[in-house]
Amino acid sequence: MLALQSDLVPAWTALAPAIVLGLTGLVLLGIDTIQPGETSNTLLAGVSTAGALLSFGITAWFLVAGTGQVSTGGAISLYGDAVVVDGMSLFFTLIFTIVTAMVTVAAYDYLREQSHRGEFYSLVLFAATGMTLMSMANSLATVFVSLELASLPSYALVAFLKKDRGSVEAGLKYFLIGAVSSAVLAFGISLVYAASGSLILGEVASAVGTTEMTGVVGLGALMIVGGFAFKTASVPFHFWAPEAYEGAPAPISAFLSSASKAAGFAVAFRVFVEAFPLGAIPAGVDWVLAFQVLAVVTMTLGNFAAATQEKVKRMLAYSSIGHAGYALIGLAALSAGGPNGSVLGASMAHLLVYGFMNTGAFLFIALVEHWGIGRTFEDYNGLASVAPIAAVAMTVFMFSLAGLPPFGGFLSKYALFYSAIEAGFWWLAAVGAINSALSLFYYSRVVKAMWIESPEGDFGIEKRPVGLYAAVLFAGIGTLLLLPAFGPVIETAQGVAAALF
C-alpha cells in the first residue's frame, strides 16, 4: 500500500487530515457569508459532517497503510521537525474526526432555531484542526500554537448561547482559567528553552540530560504538567470543566469532554516521552511521580464529586474528570526500561472507546434538552417508556463508562489496569478499580430513573429529531462494536505507542 514514503508523493500530504478540517471550516465561513444567518442548516451540517468524515477516512487509510510508522520507514517530519506525522498522531486524529462528525450531525437539530449556525460549525472544525495539529506537534512552540488554535474556538463555542446567562458565564470562566493555564504553559516552555537551547522535543531530550540547570528544567517541566492538566481537566486544574460542560450547548460539552481531552493527552504523551525520556533526565526531575499523584487524586475526586450531583449533565462533567484520572495511568505507570508501550497504548485505546461512550452520553442529554425535559435524575424518571431506543443507547453508555461487561468500556479499562499491573504499578490499578466500582453507583442512577421509576407527568415528546437520534445511535453502536473489535484497536494503539520509546 502507498504510505507517503515515495518521492512521487510530497511529504506535506501527510497533513491531509488537518488540511481537510481547516479547509472545511473556511468553506463554511464562505458559504455563510453569501446569506449571513439565512444559510440552510442542512447545507452547513452536511458540509461539516462530510469534511469530518473525509478527514476520518483519510486518517484511517493512512493508519492502515502504515504512514509514518516503523514498517514504512518511520515518522514523517515536516517544517524543520516542528511537526511529525506518525502512528500515534493518526490514532488520535481518528478520535478527533469521528467525535467531530457525531457532534456536527447532532448539532443539525440542536441549532435549528439558533442564529449564527455557520459560525458554530466553522468553530467546531477549526477547533478540531487545532487538536489534530496538537497530536502532530514535535516542537514546544508548535504545541503552544496548536493548543491555542484548539482553545480559542472552544471558548466561543461554550458561550455560544448568548442569551443564556449560564452559557456566557461558563464561557467567561473557561476563558479566564484557560488564559492563566496558557501563561503557565508558556512560562514552563520558556524555562525548558533556557536550559536546553531548543524547542524541538528530540533536541530538548539531548540537552536536558547534560544540563547543569536541573532546577530550571524541573520547574519548567512542572509548569508544563500544569498546562496539560488544565487541558485534560485534571485535578487541581479541573474547576472549569463542570461549569463549562454544564453551561455549554450539550453537543459542545460532548466535543470538549471527548475530543479536547484526548488532544491534551496526545500532546502530553509525546512531550513527556520524547522531551523528558526516563533514564536520561536529571535526577531531580521526576515527572512520573507528578503524574502518579495527578492520576490518583483526579480519578478519586472526580468520582466522589460525581456521586454527589443531582443533575445528570453535571454528573457526567465530574465523571469525565474521573476518566481523565484513568487515562493519566498511561504516564503514571511508566518506568525506565519497562513495558511502557503497553501501558501508554492501553491509555490511548481507552480514550478511543471513551470518545464513543462519553460523546454518546452527552448527545443523549442534548436530545433530552431538545425535548425540554429537566436536568435532574428525577426528570429522567420513566423516560424509557416514551423513548425506548434512545434509553437503550444511554444504558449502553452508562454501563460502558462504569466498565461493566459486555461493553467496550470494560475491555478498555481491563487492558489499562492490566498493563499497569504488568508494569509493576499494581496500586494504580487497584485505585482505578475501586474508583470504577464507585462510579457504578451514579451511572446506575440514570438507568434506574429511565427504566424503573415511574414518570411524574407527560413528557410531551412529539418529534424524534433525526440528527440527534442518528448521532446517539451511532455512538451506541460504536460502543458495542468496539467489544469484538478491541483486539485490533489495542494492538494498533500499543504498537504505535511503542514507537515513541
Side-chain angles (χ1 to χ4, degrees):
M1 291 185 179
L2 179 64
L4 295 182
Q5 301 293 73
S6 169
D7 293 337
L8 300 177
V9 182
W12 62 265
T13 56
L15 297 176
I19 292 173
V20 168
L21 290 172
L23 287 178
T24 303
L26 292 174
V27 168
L28 287 166
L29 287 180
I31 293 174
D32 194 52
T33 56
I34 299 174
Q35 290 181 310
E38 299 180 7
T39 308
S40 168
N41 187 33
T42 303
L43 176 62
L44 294 171
V47 172
S48 304
T49 306
L53 290 178
L54 176 60
S55 182
F56 174 83
I58 294 172
T59 304
W61 185 77
F62 281 177
L63 194 60
V64 172
T67 300
Q69 299 175 51
V70 176
S71 60
T72 56
I76 300 172
S77 297
L78 301 159
Y79 310 115
D81 294 334
V83 176
V84 63
V85 178
D86 58 4
M88 192 189 82
S89 67
L90 293 172
F91 187 91
F92 274 103
T93 301
L94 284 180
I95 302 175
F96 308 144
T97 50
I98 197 61
V99 171
T100 301
M102 287 190 283
V103 167
T104 54
V105 170
Y108 170 75
D109 295 298
Y110 199 90
L111 298 176
R112 190 183 296 274
E113 304 300 327
Q114 298 289 337
S115 57
H116 308 292
R117 294 187 293 264
E119 291 89 335
F120 179 94
Y121 290 112
S122 61
L123 287 171
V124 170
L125 269 295
F126 289 143
T129 304
M131 294 171 193
T132 302
L133 291 175
M134 285 174 66
S135 70
M136 300 177 179
N138 194 48
S139 163
L140 292 175
T142 312
V143 166
F144 184 78
V145 172
S146 59
L147 188 146
E148 290 304 299
L149 176 57
S151 297
L152 292 175
S154 300
Y155 301 149
L157 287 168
V158 170
F160 183 77
L161 303 176
K162 294 187 291 183
K163 296 182 180 180
D164 186 319
R165 182 176 180 179
S167 179
V168 175
E169 181 180 345
L172 179 60
K173 290 179 180 178
Y174 186 23
F175 170 74
L176 292 175
I177 299 176
V180 172
S181 69
S182 294
V184 171
L185 176 62
F187 192 35
I189 290 174
S190 69
L191 291 177
V192 172
Y193 178 74
S196 64
S198 177
L199 294 172
I200 303 299
L201 301 185
E203 296 175 4
V204 170
S206 301
V208 297
T210 58
T211 184
E212 296 180 356
M213 303 171 68
T214 303
V216 174
V217 173
L219 181 58
L222 184 62
M223 296 184 81
I224 292 175
V225 169
F228 292 151
F230 161 78
K231 195 63 182 175
T232 57
S234 301
V235 176
F237 303 93
H238 67 288
F239 294 106
W240 63 272
E243 304 297 331
Y245 295 170
E246 184 178 20
I252 297 306
S253 301
F255 185 64
L256 293 179
S257 63
S258 300
S260 183
K261 189 182 296 293
F265 281 109
V267 72
F269 290 167
R270 189 181 301 280
V271 167
F272 283 95
V273 169
E274 296 194 352
F276 307 103
L278 297 174
I281 56 176
V285 185
D286 192 356
W287 56 263
V288 173
L289 177 61
F291 280 112
Q292 289 172 350
V293 174
L294 278 179
V296 172
V297 175
T298 299
M299 69 176 80
T300 303
L301 188 147
N303 280 294
F304 272 95
T308 64
Q309 302 305 309
E310 292 302 323
K311 294 182 179 179
V312 178
K313 196 176 185 181
R314 198 169 181 85
M315 176 274 287
L316 282 179
Y318 278 106
S319 159
S320 72
I321 295 172
H323 277 271
Y326 302 141
L328 282 169
I329 292 177
L331 288 171
L334 297 186
S335 59
N340 297 319
S342 175
V343 66
L344 197 65
S347 185
M348 291 167 56
H350 179 68
L351 286 169
L352 175 62
V353 178
Y354 178 77
F356 279 91
M357 55 191 182
N358 188 69
T359 301
F362 272 105
L363 293 184
F364 178 85
I365 291 177
L367 180 64
V368 172
E369 288 182 358
H370 181 80
W371 285 329
I373 299 173
R375 297 188 171 192
T376 66
F377 288 94
E378 288 73 18
D379 293 325
Y380 283 45
N381 287 351
L383 188 56
S385 62
V386 293
I389 297 177
V392 167
M394 187 59 167
T395 302
V396 169
F397 302 141
M398 293 295 97
F399 286 155
S400 186
L401 285 166
L404 290 181
F407 307 105
F410 165 74
L411 284 182
S412 65
K413 283 187 178 181
Y414 174 82
L416 183 57
F417 297 157
Y418 181 78
S419 297
I421 294 173
E422 271 193 323
F425 294 88
W426 61 268
W427 57 273
L428 272 176
V431 174
I434 293 171
N435 275 283
S436 189
L438 170 65
S439 70
L440 181 61
F441 162 72
Y442 56 81
Y443 288 132
S444 62
R445 288 183 66 189
V446 180
V447 179
K448 176 175 176 286
M450 292 190 302
W451 293 97
I452 299 177
E453 300 294 342
S454 301
E456 298 179 358
D458 185 12
F459 287 105
I461 297 175
E462 298 179 358
K463 296 181 180 180
R464 298 292 191 270
V466 177
L468 279 166
Y469 249 87
V472 169
L473 293 181
F474 178 83
I477 293 171
T479 303
L480 291 174
L481 290 181
L482 281 170
L483 184 67
F486 190 74
V489 169
I490 189 67
E491 289 176 9
T492 301
Q494 291 179 335
V496 299
L500 292 179
F501 296 92

